[in-house]
Amino acid sequence: MTAETIMVIDDDQDLRESIVEILDHDGFKAIGFETAELALREIKSLVPELVVVDNMMPGMGGMGLMALLKRNHPDIKIIMITAFSTVDNAVAAMKGGADDYLAKPFKREELLMAVKCNLETLKFEQKMIEAGMDDAFACLANQIRRQILVTLAGKKEMRFMDITRHLGISDHTKVNFHLKNLKNNNLVSQDRVKAYHLTRQGEKMVDCLHLLSKRIVQ
Amino acid sequence: MTAETIMVIDDDQDLRESIVEILDHDGFKAIGFETAELALREIKSLVPELVVVDNMMPGMGGMGLMALLKRNHPDIKIIMITAFSTVDNAVAAMKGGADDYLAKPFKREELLMAVKCNLETLKFEQKMIEAGMDDAFACLANQIRRQILVTLAGKKEMRFMDITRHLGISDHTKVNFHLKNLKNNNLVSQDRVKAYHLTRQGEKMVDCLHLLSKRIVQ
DNA sequence: TTTTTCTGTGAAGTAGAGTTCACAGAAGAC
DNA sequence: GTCTTCTGTGAACTCTACTTCACAGAAAAA
């Protein structure tokens, strides 16, 4: 696992170096910039996972940077820090695209918590984006396939016509179609005597189905 | 309609046979076991709909059995009975995965009520899996819709073009299509200023997504 | 004001999922 | 052996989900 890159942008040199040091010490790859303009120049070659930026700065300031960042790199998380903290201020920051908001002065732990929490969220979103779950959901999206999975989960092992009859479907080729689909997705498999049963993946799916049904129903 | 299978696991022979007799008399197919280990040996070939298990038993005991059961057969309902009933005891049992909890001594009617009630719930959950969930899964089956849901979950409220840019999709009408889909399925809604946000149902879906991603990825 | 961006609709086309049908070898029943 | 049931395949078709395009009023920026 490679260290996440974090940009720290603040015109206050003391605070900036202090933040960088805290993050570095916690295993991140933190880099400080004095102005938004300087940071933007670097961002082409060095894309960070997260940015910590001060609200009030000479030049384009935190809000201006944020607008540009969210447009060109929508997946970079932004934590805004500010000295003059008001509700309006915070709301404006969040509306402007900030992912988190810290009022000065903040504790070391608050900063680290915000950073880690947002990186966690980022990772989750990226996993969702990576697809991979498409197949899983596609399998669950069909009622017949769900029925087959649940049926097999209860009986543990069934022959082809047993499944077909159990579902009350007259056309056996339709069942065969979905069964093949499930087989291709490694949710069910066949043994030597052609009996179908769930794979470990398939069992997990049934597990998920039950969890979902409990959650969706209230 | 075929009789539901119920396992009764208690080291106290008198009580066990008494429970089995009550359930049998009411039309269930009840089978007694003296220990959790004996029950587990049978559970491969004989999957019950419901299990009545005593808390205090020699060997792995009720809690140990419950943990195993919930892992391997999450759809089996578990009623725990116990002699020394305290609040902590009950809470621990429910946290451990019990679906219901009976303190000894209990009346015949209490037992039957608990059993029937939990079987009813089970049937309801299974019916949910069979039908009704089509729309829910259809929503989750599409990657863009999942991305929108996750994005909104993180931001709580976003305008149309913010979402589009955040997803990095050039054609805004495509996003609009899926957004409308989500709206029609009551997963997202719009406020007066046209900002999109998750509904309660939508939040539940994101919740489900979390569960699934955790489960599917090992 | 004009101009651009935002937010959306509806029609047309495309791709893929799902269904149905015709057929056929394998396995059991007789 | 014959006959029936089981277990499947592949092609053709249908239907729906998804995409793309053209257009347009509303809101914001200039």
Side-chain angles (χ1 to χ4, degrees):
Chain A
M1 161 161 164
T2 156
E4 287 96 343
T5 303
I6 300 175
M7 278 191 175
V8 180
I9 308 162
D10 197 328
D11 57 320
D12 176 345
Q13 181 173 355
D14 282 355
L15 182 58
R16 184 177 69 237
E17 293 183 347
S18 160
I19 294 177
V20 167
E21 196 251 311
I22 291 174
L23 294 176
D24 271 340
H25 181 268
D26 225 70
F28 298 107
K29 191 176 147 202
I31 305 164
F33 296 91
E34 197 179 343
T35 67
E37 286 80 357
L38 285 172
L40 279 177
R41 202 176 306 161
E42 285 300 312
I43 218 162
K44 310 245 150 97
S45 55
L46 161 94
V47 179
E49 273 79 25
L50 187 144
V51 165
V52 178
V53 58
D54 194 352
N55 188 4
M56 297 283 284
M57 286 190 297
M60 79 164 55
M63 294 297 283
L65 172 67
M66 209 160 62
L68 279 176
L69 266 190
K70 276 296 162 189
R71 181 186 212 90
N72 300 323
H73 300 272
D75 48 335
I76 295 179
K77 294 289 175 187
I78 301 177
I79 297 178
M80 173 151 284
I81 57 181
T82 187
F84 308 103
S85 179
T86 67
V87 171
D88 289 347
N89 214 326
V91 171
M94 298 304 280
K95 275 197 181 168
D99 297 281
D100 221 326
Y101 182 83
L102 280 180
K104 284 195 255 186
F106 47 83
K107 299 207 186 80
R108 169 198 172 89
E109 281 73 29
E110 288 178 310
L111 172 67
L112 284 174
M113 172 73 79
V115 166
K116 287 177 184 172
C117 185
N118 277 282
L119 286 177
E120 210 47 49
T121 306
L122 174 66
K123 239 185 292 181
F124 177 68
E125 287 173 0
Q126 284 174 340
K127 195 155 67 183
M128 284 295 133
I129 287 169
E130 272 177 24
M133 293 180 70
D134 272 23
D135 291 342
F137 283 112
C139 285
L140 293 186
N142 183 281
Q143 187 185 343
I144 295 180
R145 286 199 289 270
R146 287 204 303 276
Q147 286 176 309
I148 293 176
L149 286 177
V150 173
T151 303
L152 283 177
K155 300 284 181 171
K156 167 178 137 58
E157 186 169 301
M158 280 176 100
R159 315 276 314 244
F160 176 66
M161 284 311 283
D162 294 334
I163 298 174
T164 304
R165 276 189 287 264
H166 183 266
L167 300 187
I169 295 173
S170 57
D171 186 356
H172 70 279
T173 65
K174 186 194 285 194
V175 176
N176 190 59
F177 171 81
H178 293 289
L179 215 34
K180 200 159 68 175
N181 186 314
L182 290 171
K183 236 191 324 184
N184 290 337
N185 283 289
N186 293 317
L187 298 185
V188 311
S189 59
Q190 266 179 305
D191 53 23
R192 334 86 224 165
V193 292
K194 299 202 167 188
Y196 289 91
H197 53 87
L198 291 183
T199 62
R200 273 204 57 69
Q201 274 280 85
E203 287 168 9
K204 243 191 283 185
M205 279 295 163
V206 175
D207 218 17
C208 288
L209 271 176
H210 282 96
L211 279 173
L212 284 186
S213 69
K214 277 183 197 142
R215 276 197 179 233
I216 291 177
V217 184
Q218 296 302 352
Chain B
M1 163 161 160
T2 154
E4 287 95 345
T5 304
I6 300 176
M7 279 191 175
V8 180
I9 308 161
D10 197 329
D11 57 318
D12 177 346
Q13 181 173 355
D14 283 355
L15 182 57
R16 185 177 68 238
E17 294 183 347
S18 160
I19 294 178
V20 167
E21 195 252 312
I22 291 175
L23 294 175
D24 271 340
H25 181 267
D26 224 72
F28 299 107
K29 191 175 149 205
I31 305 163
F33 296 91
E34 196 179 345
T35 67
E37 286 80 358
L38 285 171
L40 279 177
R41 203 176 305 160
E42 285 301 312
I43 218 161
K44 310 246 148 94
S45 56
L46 162 93
V47 180
E49 273 78 25
L50 188 143
V51 166
V52 178
V53 58
D54 194 354
N55 188 6
M56 297 283 284
M57 286 189 300
M60 79 165 58
M63 294 297 282
L65 172 67
M66 206 160 63
L68 278 176
L69 266 189
K70 277 296 161 189
R71 184 200 296 280
N72 300 323
H73 300 272
D75 47 335
I76 296 179
K77 293 289 172 187
I78 301 176
I79 296 178
M80 174 152 284
I81 57 181
T82 187
F84 309 102
S85 180
T86 66
V87 172
D88 288 347
N89 216 324
V91 171
M94 298 304 280
K95 273 195 181 171
D99 297 282
D100 220 327
Y101 182 83
L102 280 179
K104 285 196 252 185
F106 46 82
K107 299 208 187 79
R108 169 198 172 88
E109 281 74 29
E110 288 178 310
L111 172 66
L112 283 173
M113 172 73 78
V115 167
K116 286 178 184 171
C117 185
N118 276 281
L119 286 177
E120 210 48 48
T121 306
L122 175 65
K123 235 183 297 179
F124 181 64
E125 286 171 1
Q126 284 174 342
K127 195 156 65 190
M128 278 300 124
I129 290 174
E130 282 171 19
M133 293 180 71
D134 271 26
D135 290 343
F137 282 112
C139 284
L140 293 187
N142 182 282
Q143 187 185 345
I144 294 180
R145 286 198 289 271
R146 288 204 303 276
Q147 286 176 304
I148 293 176
L149 286 177
V150 173
T151 302
L152 283 178
K155 299 284 182 168
K156 168 178 139 52
E157 186 170 300
M158 277 177 103
R159 312 280 312 252
F160 175 67
M161 284 310 286
D162 293 334
I163 298 174
T164 303
R165 276 191 286 264
H166 183 265
L167 300 188
I169 295 173
S170 57
D171 185 356
H172 71 279
T173 66
K174 187 194 285 193
V175 176
N176 191 60
F177 171 81
H178 292 288
L179 215 33
K180 201 159 69 174
N181 185 313
L182 290 171
K183 240 193 318 185
N184 291 336
N185 283 287
N186 293 317
L187 297 185
V188 311
S189 60
Q190 265 178 304
D191 53 24
R192 335 84 224 169
V193 293
K194 301 201 165 188
Y196 290 91
H197 53 87
L198 291 183
T199 62
R200 274 204 54 71
Q201 273 281 83
E203 286 168 11
K204 243 189 284 184
M205 278 296 162
V206 175
D207 220 16
C208 290
L209 273 176
H210 276 97
L211 279 174
L212 285 185
S213 69
K214 275 184 200 139
R215 282 203 170 227
I216 292 176
V217 186
Q218 289 306 351

